[in-house]
Amino acid sequence: MASVESVQYVEPIIRHQWSQREVAELFEMPFMDLMFQAQQVHREHFEPNRVQLSTLISIKTGACPEDCAYCPQSGHYDTELEKEKLLPIPEILEAAQAAVDSGATRFCMGAAWRNPSDRELPQVLATVKAVKELGLETCATLGMLKPEQAHQLAEAGLDYYNHNLDTSENYYDQIITTRTYQDRLDTLEAVRDAGMNVCAGGIVGMGEEESDRIGLLRTLANLPKPPESVPINMLVKIPGTPLEDVADLDEFDFIRTIAVARILMPQSYVRLSAGRDEMNDQMQALCFMAGANSIFYGDELLTTDNASCKHDRELFDRLGIQPESVQA
Ligand code: SAM
Ligand code: DTB
Ligand code: SF4
């Protein structure tokens, strides 16, 4: 019989599963205490004063069959958007080169699809290969993926796949009816299984309750492996969509959401995403203080205005923030 000494104990690596109450307690903390804790967690895992830059491009615009209530690209709403078919590869490469020249390290290609069709995917695969050759990290957001498509994208060299949960499971059916929460989780699993990095986050300011922001962050943090990138979008209210007149979210509650995301997902990049154009510099600085360490960098998001590159460079200078370089 083996003696006690000879038995090898392997410490099981079980990640903490966050409960709704535990996350609620973070949200309920006094603002300054929460900020302090988030900044401490941030400094344990990342270099402070460094922010990663991702540049977006819409490679296929509008006429989307989905009914996401926030989205300018949904075919269900009249948002006066100019639709565009899948862009030719040279046009995308020109934008990718401009992103390199501006100092971005990741190029994120978005398409207004429910899912990529087998007819159009090969062109996306060729685009991913070509963008990667420019030295950029590649990211795509093309809607739902089948496992086979996720494998094809991974093989083409796609580094990240963005697919947002958008909100909590509870609030989800108020926002989208044309696909389920489980569909989204299945796509994230397919991306993970194919070996790509996961970029998944959501939108706040859609009229949801705090319990929904808690639910969203909890679901992300409790995934078998948390996403490497977590975009937190502030709703950009688009005339013509069902959410055009939704009440503004208190800005401190947005900052709290960033801080809680940082604490729940200490090793993830938390991206201060859509909505920056409407935030003042002090608000953005508090978001960085709360642990945001990535932004969308470029004068446009997909179809709406972003804070300008010029303004961002000036803001970084004033705050002593350095953009992250490719091999940081
Ligand atoms: N069609 C694909 C999909 O939905 O998976 C990819 C593109 S879609 C535009 C990517 C994400 O952009 C959405 O999941 C949503 O989180 C975000 N988004 C879209 N419209 C937005 C808005 N008005 N304000 C903030 N975020 C928005
Ligand atoms: C993400 O979370 N936000 C980005 C990106 N992933 C694809 C998109 C924001 C879109 C904002 C509305 C628009 O410009 O169309
Ligand atoms: Fe289509 Fe994506 Fe917009 Fe939803 S968020 S309507 S799936 S482009």
Side-chain angles (χ1 to χ4, degrees), residues 7-280:
V7 175
Q8 293 225 334
Y9 288 102
V10 179
E11 201 67 52
I13 304 170
I14 300 171
R15 268 194 316 112
H16 179 69
Q17 292 288 295
W18 291 90
S19 71
Q20 188 82 5
R21 180 89 296 271
E22 283 173 319
V23 182
E25 279 166 11
L26 291 171
F27 272 94
E28 285 158 15
M29 279 168 79
F31 185 78
M32 300 308 164
D33 293 352
L34 176 63
M35 291 295 278
F36 183 68
Q37 187 175 328
Q39 179 65 202
Q40 272 182 321
V41 169
H42 187 56
R43 280 170 187 257
E44 275 165 30
H45 294 91
F46 288 97
E47 235 182 275
N49 309 309
R50 280 225 185 253
V51 170
Q52 186 277 333
L53 309 182
S54 291
T55 294
L56 279 169
I57 181 172
S58 180
I59 61 170
K60 185 269 166 185
T61 307
C64 183
E66 304 290 286
D67 68 352
C68 312
Y70 49 76
C71 189
Q73 305 203 62
S74 167
H76 294 255
Y77 318 120
D78 183 10
T79 60
E80 294 182 4
L81 182 76
E82 236 176 83
K83 305 171 191 63
E84 261 180 316
K85 293 208 173 81
L86 184 57
L87 292 181
I89 296 178
E91 206 172 311
I92 301 174
L93 289 182
E94 202 179 305
Q97 185 57 52
V100 175
D101 297 342
S102 75
T105 59
R106 192 178 307 164
F107 193 62
C108 179
M109 295 161 271
W113 287 328
R114 173 176 165 81
N115 52 262
S117 70
D118 291 340
R119 186 174 60 82
E120 283 164 310
L121 190 62
Q123 187 176 324
V124 177
L125 299 176
T127 309
V128 168
K129 281 193 187 125
V131 170
K132 219 174 151 60
E133 279 165 18
L134 298 177
L136 284 161
E137 289 181 327
T138 51
C139 176
T141 179
L142 316 168
M144 291 188 281
L145 291 186
K146 292 184 279 193
E148 169 59 18
Q149 294 178 315
H151 280 286
Q152 287 175 284
L153 285 162
E155 236 166 71
L158 191 67
D159 298 304
Y160 289 78
Y161 194 79
N162 166 247
H163 198 65
N164 290 337
L165 292 179
D166 280 349
T167 188
S168 68
E169 184 164 19
N170 257 343
Y171 196 58
Y172 184 83
D173 63 3
Q174 304 289 306
I175 302 296
I176 299 137
T177 70
T178 47
R179 69 173 111 152
T180 65
Y181 212 66
Q182 189 58 49
D183 288 333
R184 292 194 182 245
L185 292 167
D186 290 347
T187 292
L188 294 183
E189 193 180 326
V191 171
R192 210 22 118 206
D193 289 349
M196 287 183 284
N197 292 302
V198 170
C199 172
I203 311 178
V204 299
M206 297 197 293
E208 76 283 345
E209 303 284 332
E210 187 172 274
S211 59
D212 298 308
R213 294 189 282 280
I214 295 169
L216 166 68
L217 295 183
R218 213 188 129 207
T219 309
L220 292 168
N222 288 347
L223 286 171
K225 188 175 177 202
E228 280 76 12
S229 282
V230 181
I232 305 292
N233 297 275
M234 173 81 107
L235 176 71
V236 179
K237 294 181 204 171
I238 310 286
T241 63
L243 296 181
E244 66 175 315
D245 291 323
V246 74
D248 283 337
L249 178 71
D250 181 333
E251 291 182 337
F252 291 121
D253 287 337
F254 182 84
I255 300 164
R256 278 193 176 89
T257 307
I258 300 261
V260 174
R262 165 52 63 225
I263 294 167
L264 263 49
M265 293 169 276
Q267 308 197 48
S268 307
Y269 279 79
V270 175
R271 184 172 309 125
L272 173 55
S273 302
R276 273 196 317 115
D277 195 30
E278 287 154 47
M279 295 175 195
N280 66 26

